[in-house]
Amino acid sequence: MKKILFIHSSLGGGGAERVLIDILKNIDTDSFQVDLLLIYGTGVYMKDIPANINYIGCLYEKKRPFWKWFVARLHLGHLFECREIRRVMKGRYYDTIVSFMENGPLKYHGFITDKAQNNVSWVHTDLLNNHYSRCSFLADNHEKKIYQKMNTIVFVSDTALNNFQKLFNLRNVNMKVIHNPIDAVRIQTRSLEESVPKIKFTLCAVGRICPQKRYDRLLHAVKILYDKGCDITVNILGTGYMEAEIKKMCSSLNLDTIVNFLGFKENPYPYIKNSDVFCLSSDTEGYPTVVCEAIVLGVPVIATDIVGSRDIIGQNEYGLLTGLTPESFADAIYSLYNDESLLNYYKRKASEKAKEFGISRAIKEINTII
C-alpha cells in the first residue's frame, strides 16, 4: 500500500479546499494510506475530513504569531520554517508527497522533498497574471527552484500551465493538466436540501470577498441595471476581509434593497440552483470550480473573460464572457434579463456541458501520478 501525504494551507471555504475534500473522500484507501498535514488547523471543512484519512495535525493551530510571520520574510525565517516542518515530519517517509496548492504548501513541501520518492505539486491559479505567492519566497528564482524539485506539477487548466511556463520556464519536470473533479451527483443532491424562494430575476455570486473576486465590478454593473429600471435581486454568498468595504460600497450605490449579503453557506447549491444567472466577476482564476457547479445545476453563467472561465465555457458557447468593465458585465446580464429565449438557450447549453463533469475520471488521473 502506497503512503501519501497531502499538504495544504487550511480548510477554509475556498474552491481548492472543497476540491481537496472531494479528492480525499473519493481516493482509494485500499490502495493508498493517506495522511493530511495543514499549515493552519482551521476552516469550515475541518469537520469534513474523511474518517479513513489520517489527519496528522498542523503547524499552527490558528493564525501564525506576528513575529513568526515577520521573520518568515527573512532568510533566517525560512530556516525557522524548515525546522518546524521537519520536526513534525521526523520519522515519517512517504511514497508521494503532494503540496495541493502554490504559495505556503509549496514552500513547506520544498523543505521535505527528501521524505518521498515522488513529489507532486498543484497549481490552482494563473501565476503569470496573479503571482500572489511571490511574497512567500526569497525571490522568483527561489520559488522556481522548489518547483524544479517536483517530479510532477499539476495544473487545473491548460492556460494556467502555459502561463506558468511563461513565468518560470522549467525544464525536465512532468507537467499535467487535471481539471478539478466535480462531484455532480453530490451537487445536485445537495441543491434539493433547502427551498430558496425566488420572486424576482435573481443573480447569484459565490466566493471570498477579496480583491481577486472584484465584487466592486459586480456592484457597479448591478447599479447600471438598477438605473435602467431592471427588477432584480442579487445574492452574494461568502465572507472575507473586504466584506465591510464592499457592503459600504453597496450602500453608497443605494443597492441595499436589492443586494443580499448572505455570508458563507456550507451548502450554497440551493441558492445557485434557484437563481436565473450565476455571476463571476473575478480578475483572475485558475479553474473556477463554482462555475462548474453552476453549470451542473443548469444555471447560465456570466463571467469575465479570464483564464479558467474561458477554459470552461469557451467563447460564449456554454455561457457569456464579458470584458473587464462594469458596463460590459451589465450588458451581458441585461441580454439574459431582457431575452427569455436567450436565457433558456444557455440553460440548455449548461445542461449539455454538465454531462462532461464527473469525479471518477479525475480520480483515475490523480491515481496515476501519486
Side-chain angles (χ1 to χ4, degrees):
M1 180 181 290
K2 284 188 174 181
K3 294 184 65 178
I4 313 295
L5 172 67
F6 281 87
I7 305 172
H8 198 57
S9 293
S10 71
L11 290 179
E17 289 74 26
R18 177 70 263 171
V19 169
L20 176 58
I21 290 295
D22 281 343
I23 290 172
L24 295 178
K25 285 183 176 180
N26 287 275
I27 202 165
D28 181 7
T29 50
D30 290 332
S31 302
F32 302 107
Q33 177 185 321
V34 183
D35 288 357
L36 173 65
L37 172 69
L38 298 176
I39 298 175
Y40 302 101
T42 60
V44 294
Y45 292 130
M46 291 293 292
K47 60 182 175 53
D48 294 318
I49 299 173
N52 56 0
I53 301 300
N54 179 32
Y55 174 51
I56 62 175
C58 60
L59 300 180
Y60 307 102
E61 287 296 336
K62 294 183 180 179
K63 287 187 176 181
R64 190 171 3 177
F66 177 79
W67 70 271
K68 289 186 177 182
W69 176 88
F70 180 76
V71 298
R73 298 296 182 266
L74 308 175
H75 180 61
L76 290 177
H78 285 268
L79 296 178
F80 177 82
E81 290 174 316
C82 177
R83 187 184 69 179
E84 285 196 325
I85 193 167
R86 293 196 69 85
R87 173 182 53 79
V88 173
M89 289 292 105
K90 187 176 182 180
R92 297 180 185 271
Y93 294 91
Y94 296 90
D95 294 286
T96 300
I97 296 176
V98 179
S99 45
F100 196 66
M101 203 162 187
E102 61 281 342
N103 202 26
L106 173 73
K107 179 172 67 172
Y108 280 101
H109 188 174
F111 297 132
I112 56 170
T113 52
D114 62 309
K115 294 282 186 174
Q117 297 175 345
N118 183 34
N119 289 282
V120 178
S121 194
W122 243 261
V123 175
H124 287 264
T125 193
D126 171 8
L127 285 174
L128 181 65
N129 292 304
N130 180 31
H131 197 184
Y132 78 101
S133 58
R134 177 184 281 116
C135 65
S136 292
F137 299 90
L138 301 176
D140 286 357
N141 196 49
H142 174 212
E143 188 175 8
K144 178 178 179 177
K145 284 181 178 178
I146 298 177
Y147 277 119
Q148 196 73 62
K149 291 181 178 182
M150 299 296 130
N151 298 94
T152 302
I153 304 175
V154 178
F155 299 85
V156 295
S157 71
D158 293 295
T159 313
L161 188 159
N162 293 335
N163 285 355
F164 177 92
Q165 276 297 72
K166 289 177 184 177
L167 179 64
F168 290 117
N169 190 28
L170 294 190
R171 305 294 184 190
N172 303 316
V173 177
N174 180 40
M175 298 189 185
K176 186 176 181 63
V177 174
I178 301 179
H179 296 314
N180 288 340
I182 305 299
D183 192 342
V185 173
R186 176 185 64 84
I187 292 165
Q188 291 163 348
T189 300
R190 296 217 65 192
S191 73
L192 302 175
E193 290 181 356
E194 184 179 348
S195 177
V196 176
K198 183 172 78 69
I199 300 172
K200 300 177 181 180
F201 190 92
T202 302
L203 310 177
C204 182
V206 179
R208 285 188 293 265
I209 303 179
C210 62
Q212 170 193 340
K213 301 299 183 181
R214 289 302 303 270
Y215 283 104
D216 61 313
R217 176 181 290 135
L218 177 60
L219 289 181
H220 281 102
V222 170
K223 174 64 172 174
I224 293 169
L225 297 169
Y226 178 72
D227 289 344
K228 278 187 175 183
C230 296
D231 192 17
I232 60 176
T233 294
V234 184
N235 291 326
I236 295 176
L237 283 67
T239 58
Y241 70 90
M242 286 188 68
E243 186 172 353
E245 180 180 335
I246 293 298
K247 285 181 175 179
K248 184 178 179 180
M249 177 184 292
C250 182
S251 296
S252 69
L253 294 172
N254 297 316
L255 298 176
D256 287 333
T257 58
I258 64 172
V259 177
N260 305 306
F261 290 90
L262 302 178
F264 173 80
K265 294 289 182 182
E266 192 273 331
N267 179 13
Y269 306 122
Y271 295 88
I272 299 174
K273 182 180 178 63
N274 287 283
S275 60
D276 293 288
V277 174
F278 182 84
C279 297
L280 186 83
S281 52
S282 300
D283 268 343
T284 180
E285 295 282 349
Y287 190 81
T289 303
V290 70
V291 166
C292 299
E293 292 171 337
I295 288 172
V296 163
L297 295 171
V299 178
V301 173
I302 293 175
T304 41
D305 187 3
I306 56 171
V307 171
S309 298
R310 193 183 312 121
D311 292 312
I312 297 168
I313 66 179
Q315 292 296 334
N316 298 325
E317 187 176 1
Y318 297 105
L320 287 177
L321 294 176
T322 82
L324 299 182
T325 65
E327 291 78 12
S328 177
F329 211 94
D331 287 345
I333 297 171
Y334 188 74
S335 67
L336 298 186
Y337 173 84
N338 200 44
D339 188 341
E340 187 174 357
S341 63
L342 186 62
L343 181 68
N344 289 332
Y345 169 80
Y346 278 113
K347 286 180 180 178
R348 292 193 300 271
K349 294 301 287 185
S351 298
E352 180 184 320
K353 180 69 174 179
K355 295 175 184 177
E356 298 180 12
F357 297 135
I359 199 164
S360 58
R361 182 171 60 183
I363 294 297
K364 286 179 183 177
E365 290 185 276
I366 291 168
N367 288 346
T368 64
I369 63 169
I370 62 173

